[in-house]
Amino acid sequence: MTTKTDEFTIRAGAFHGPALLLADSVRKSQTTLQSLQLPTDPEQIVDVSTYLKGMRSITRLAGDEDFFVWAGFVQKVEELGFFGRAIISAETLWDALQIARSALLYYQSDSELVIRVYNKRCHIWYFNPFNERQGIHDVQYTMGLLANVICLSHLRFDPDILIAYPNGSTSHFPPESPIKQVRNSKQGYISFDERLLKSKMTGTDSLGAEVLSRYLNDRSIKVENKPLLKDVVGGLVRASFGVAPWTLVNTSQALQVHERTLQNRLKSEGTSFREIVQAERHIMSKRLLLAGRSIEETSEALGFDHRQSFSEAFSGWEGMSPSIFLKTQEPQSAN
């Protein structure tokens, strides 16, 4: 990697799995993070120096140099925020790994997963932008995390999982683990029987996985500081267009907050879920129409049940029907 280690983005989700193991409750987990001066929100961006300092501090706090391997393997993946929830809700292990590869840039930019399938096995390599001394815990933690993801698929046969990372040892994993071989390596590597790629994930939610992975692939959110809640909700609504209608219930599940709490927080920011949906539909409707989409296609993409419903909504936004709007505009490419 040629990028300097002070120029890329890391989200606080990197700390949440390890810190959770140091506490037996959510409150104690937050206290642990605060004691290390780390953000308690997994979606919040932190600088590289804080990240590296936090990795070292958590290890010292645990009193175990191998702590990050354990953290990666037994943590709740969904506690990593949108990144983890998208992986958990994937339909198959293959889908989960594809989400992990593409969305890793949201969780930690300039890291890379390489996935290849040959000789009836799936092979995965992990590369980060740190030097060997700085990156040892990051590689350990990430390989443990990936091992956890693989083991969250339905293991209907012996997957023959092999894993390698710095200071790798079978003692890092429970005796009943399906991981057959662990070895020491400077880089992170996992391989397993390719048939496992078709296995269902334990928390399959195809709609949630698709919308969250689209959200994570939005380049604009990868470089921003923690946005307002209404901006996050707007991003999820945008990501749902063309997939399926996205509801308040879907949003509360994605954010892991109660619906009433979500509504109250949006109200404190001067808006509501319904207003956000209408605003996003309005913006996207003009973009799609000007890009050459038909009224029927635009209506369907935005989740309206009928063309007439869309036309009535559009008239309320613009003071004219979609067909009249198009006659008043010069066709142009969508952004």
Side-chain angles (χ1 to χ4, degrees):
M1 296 288 181
T2 58
T3 305
K4 296 179 181 179
T5 57
D6 59 352
E7 294 179 349
F8 61 90
T9 298
I10 296 173
R11 273 181 167 76
F15 304 111
H16 282 237
L20 281 169
L21 290 185
L22 299 179
D24 55 10
S25 70
V26 174
R27 180 174 297 178
K28 287 185 178 180
S29 173
Q30 292 176 337
T31 301
T32 301
L33 288 165
Q34 290 169 351
S35 72
L36 299 173
Q37 297 183 326
L38 301 172
T40 56
D41 186 335
E43 311 300 337
Q44 186 169 338
I45 291 175
V46 299
D47 58 59
V48 172
S49 61
T50 301
Y51 172 73
L52 293 173
K53 179 182 178 182
M55 296 284 260
R56 291 191 295 270
S57 298
I58 291 175
T59 302
R60 288 197 297 269
L61 192 60
D64 183 356
E65 288 296 323
D66 298 325
F67 179 70
F68 281 94
V69 181
W70 284 104
F73 185 71
V74 302
Q75 73 178 19
K76 294 181 179 179
V77 179
E78 59 269 25
E79 296 292 349
L80 292 177
F82 289 155
F83 175 84
R85 290 166 215 159
I87 291 172
I88 291 298
S89 58
E91 184 171 357
T92 66
L93 177 58
W94 172 256
D95 296 325
L97 292 174
Q98 296 309 306
I99 291 174
R101 180 169 64 177
S102 60
L104 185 65
L105 295 179
Y106 170 86
Y107 165 73
Q108 180 176 303
S109 65
D110 284 352
S111 295
E112 183 181 10
L113 281 183
V114 176
I115 305 174
R116 297 285 186 271
V117 179
Y118 56 88
N119 294 336
K120 297 183 178 182
R121 293 185 67 80
C122 178
H123 306 264
I124 304 173
W125 293 267
Y126 171 68
F127 303 95
N128 67 22
F130 304 113
N131 62 40
E132 184 176 347
R133 181 184 62 82
Q134 292 176 322
I136 181 171
H137 285 324
D138 178 72
V139 175
Q140 285 184 333
Y141 173 68
T142 302
M143 299 317 294
L145 173 65
L146 287 171
N148 187 1
V149 169
I150 292 167
C151 293
L152 285 172
S153 61
H154 289 285
L155 306 175
R156 300 182 184 278
F157 55 89
D158 181 6
D160 190 23
I161 302 172
L162 310 178
I163 182 170
Y165 53 84
N167 301 323
S169 169
T170 54
S171 65
H172 295 157
F173 301 100
E176 66 276 11
S177 167
I179 297 174
K180 289 296 185 66
Q181 179 182 332
V182 183
R183 59 183 176 83
N184 179 32
S185 173
K186 291 183 179 180
Q187 67 180 19
Y189 170 75
I190 296 179
S191 77
F192 52 87
D193 190 316
E194 68 171 354
R195 292 177 295 169
L196 191 60
L197 293 171
K198 298 179 181 179
S199 297
K200 295 284 187 180
M201 295 297 288
T202 55
T204 296
D205 173 9
S206 56
L207 172 59
E210 178 67 17
V211 172
L212 287 174
S213 61
R214 285 188 174 199
Y215 178 89
L216 293 169
N217 284 326
D218 184 343
R219 292 183 178 275
S220 66
I221 67 170
K222 294 176 183 177
V223 295
E224 292 180 355
N225 291 323
K226 186 175 182 292
L228 294 173
L229 177 64
K230 63 182 179 181
D231 297 326
V232 174
V233 174
L236 291 170
V237 170
R238 285 195 303 276
S240 73
F241 291 151
V243 180
W246 188 256
T247 66
L248 179 66
V249 173
N250 296 137
T251 306
S252 66
Q253 290 174 345
L255 294 169
Q256 294 192 328
V257 298
H258 193 275
E259 293 171 42
R260 184 175 298 175
T261 301
L262 175 58
Q263 290 173 317
N264 289 337
R265 289 178 60 186
L266 289 175
K267 184 177 180 180
S268 71
E269 294 183 2
T271 188
S272 68
F273 181 76
R274 183 179 183 279
E275 290 173 345
I276 291 172
V277 171
Q278 293 304 309
E280 294 296 339
R281 279 177 160 179
H282 182 196
I283 294 169
M284 186 59 72
S285 65
K286 293 195 294 183
R287 183 174 298 174
L288 293 175
L289 289 170
L290 292 174
R293 295 286 191 93
S294 69
I295 295 174
E296 290 80 4
E297 290 172 330
T298 301
S299 172
E300 183 178 355
L302 298 181
F304 285 91
D305 294 330
H306 308 286
R307 167 178 168 156
Q308 183 61 31
S309 299
F310 166 63
S311 295
E312 291 174 357
F314 191 90
S315 296
W317 299 328
E318 290 291 318
M320 65 185 78
S321 68
S323 55
I324 294 177
F325 170 79
L326 286 172
K327 291 178 181 179
T328 65
Q329 304 291 322
E330 289 292 333
Q332 53 185 277
S333 300
N335 294 329

